[in-house]
Amino acid sequence: KYGASVVVNINRTIVVTDVNEKPTIENTDPIKVPETATSKDGSIGQIEASDPDFCSVNSTYSCKNGLHEYGYNKLTYKVEEVLPVDGSTDFPFDIDPNTGKISVAVGKELNHTKQSEYKFIVKVMDRPLIAGVPSQSATAEMTIVVTDVNRPSKFEVVTNPYEVEENVSVPTVLDGGNIVIYDEDAADVNKLKVTITDNDATAALDAAKLFKVVQVGKSDAETLLSTFVTQTADDLDYEELYKKVEKDAV
């Protein structure tokens, strides 16, 4: 019998080449910011994204700061589209294209009453350094919620001086006009209280005991204005009041 088996060993190398893969936006939870925030406060939140491409520690290329040698995981961030909220497409925010950090835009103010929510489409892209290699991207809808902060009321109209005759019935509204107050906080509607402080009050004579300020009707839901009047809270006797003033002056 003739013949024999012949085994030939051939060495072959299989190279798995890297391809640019799309990034992933990891967190789309609403970002909350108080309405008092401004551009000076810096970052109010950040777009969180990652890229499956990474820089191997065994790479024969330079691996600076964990960036892929071909730029496959170097991400950039942008607002792709502002979505309308109650017909408004205002967007008073900036997004850092290199970090994804969000901040209030310079010169912009937030107002919970006027707009409490902003919606937008964010786009995250990588930036390949090789010609002909297309950029990969991911998009997601995100929301920024502007939270309410109790702001101080503003006196829109304050009339002075007030006049009232002695011996009028209690309560009597003083001549001199109304007090009009603006307060944009929805929680304060019809709950404002105006008090009187007599800077020269004495034990015998105190304007806060003789007069009080009360609201007239309901607050205007559109203008957020509330109207108040000053009225008597106790009997007024000119001669008695004059004697108390003289006594305090001695």
Side-chain angles (χ1 to χ4, degrees):
K1 185 177 180 179
Y2 298 94
S5 298
V6 177
V7 177
V8 179
N9 294 322
I10 301 174
N11 293 326
R12 288 289 185 267
T13 301
I14 299 176
V15 178
V16 179
T17 59
D18 195 11
V19 296
N20 190 19
E21 300 171 84
K22 66 184 301 182
T24 300
I25 298 174
E26 299 178 334
N27 190 354
T28 57
D29 291 342
I31 296 173
K32 295 183 179 181
V33 54
E35 63 179 338
T36 51
T38 68
S39 58
K40 296 180 180 179
D41 295 318
S43 173
I44 62 169
Q46 185 171 7
I47 308 299
E48 297 179 14
S50 62
D51 195 296
D53 296 302
F54 68 97
C55 185
S56 171
V57 294
N58 297 318
S59 173
T60 57
Y61 300 90
S62 61
C63 184
K64 184 179 181 181
N65 298 325
L67 293 178
H68 190 281
E69 56 264 28
Y70 298 145
Y72 288 177
N73 67 348
K74 186 174 178 61
L75 302 180
T76 185
Y77 307 78
K78 63 177 289 189
V79 175
E80 182 74 354
E81 180 185 1
V82 176
L83 303 176
V85 175
D86 296 330
S88 172
T89 54
D90 184 32
F91 193 73
F93 303 96
D94 287 330
I95 294 182
D96 189 306
N98 297 310
T99 65
K101 291 183 177 181
I102 305 172
S103 60
V104 179
V106 176
K108 296 293 185 177
E109 293 184 355
L110 306 180
N111 189 307
H112 170 83
T113 303
K114 293 181 179 179
Q115 187 164 344
S116 62
E117 191 175 75
Y118 296 86
K119 294 181 177 293
F120 63 102
I121 302 296
V122 63
K123 185 175 185 179
V124 180
M125 303 171 291
D126 57 24
R127 293 180 278 183
L129 302 176
I130 301 177
V133 176
S135 172
Q136 297 291 333
S137 64
T139 60
E141 180 178 329
M142 297 198 66
T143 302
I144 298 176
V145 176
V146 179
T147 58
D148 194 15
V149 175
N150 190 15
R151 302 190 185 191
S153 305
K154 299 178 183 178
F155 286 91
E156 297 291 320
V157 178
V158 180
T159 305
N160 188 55
Y162 291 100
E163 292 185 359
V164 61
E165 294 180 349
E166 65 174 332
N167 300 322
V168 295
S169 59
V170 179
T172 292
V173 176
L174 276 60
D175 293 332
N178 299 332
I179 299 172
V180 181
I181 299 176
Y182 171 80
D183 195 304
E184 63 184 21
D185 297 310
D188 292 334
V189 173
N190 298 315
K191 294 182 180 180
L192 297 178
K193 184 179 181 181
V194 180
T195 58
I196 295 175
T197 300
D198 188 345
N199 293 329
D200 298 316
T202 64
L205 185 61
D206 186 351
K209 297 178 180 179
L210 298 174
F211 307 96
K212 63 181 179 179
V213 180
V214 297
Q215 183 170 350
V216 179
K218 300 291 185 179
S219 302
D220 191 300
E222 293 185 2
T223 64
L224 303 178
L225 296 176
S226 302
T227 302
F228 295 78
V229 296
T230 305
Q231 62 185 30
T232 56
D234 200 355
D235 294 327
L236 300 176
D237 185 302
Y238 178 84
E239 285 73 25
E240 288 296 321
L241 291 174
Y242 189 82
K243 291 178 182 178
K244 290 180 179 179
V245 173
E246 278 193 324
K247 182 178 181 182
D248 288 338
V250 175

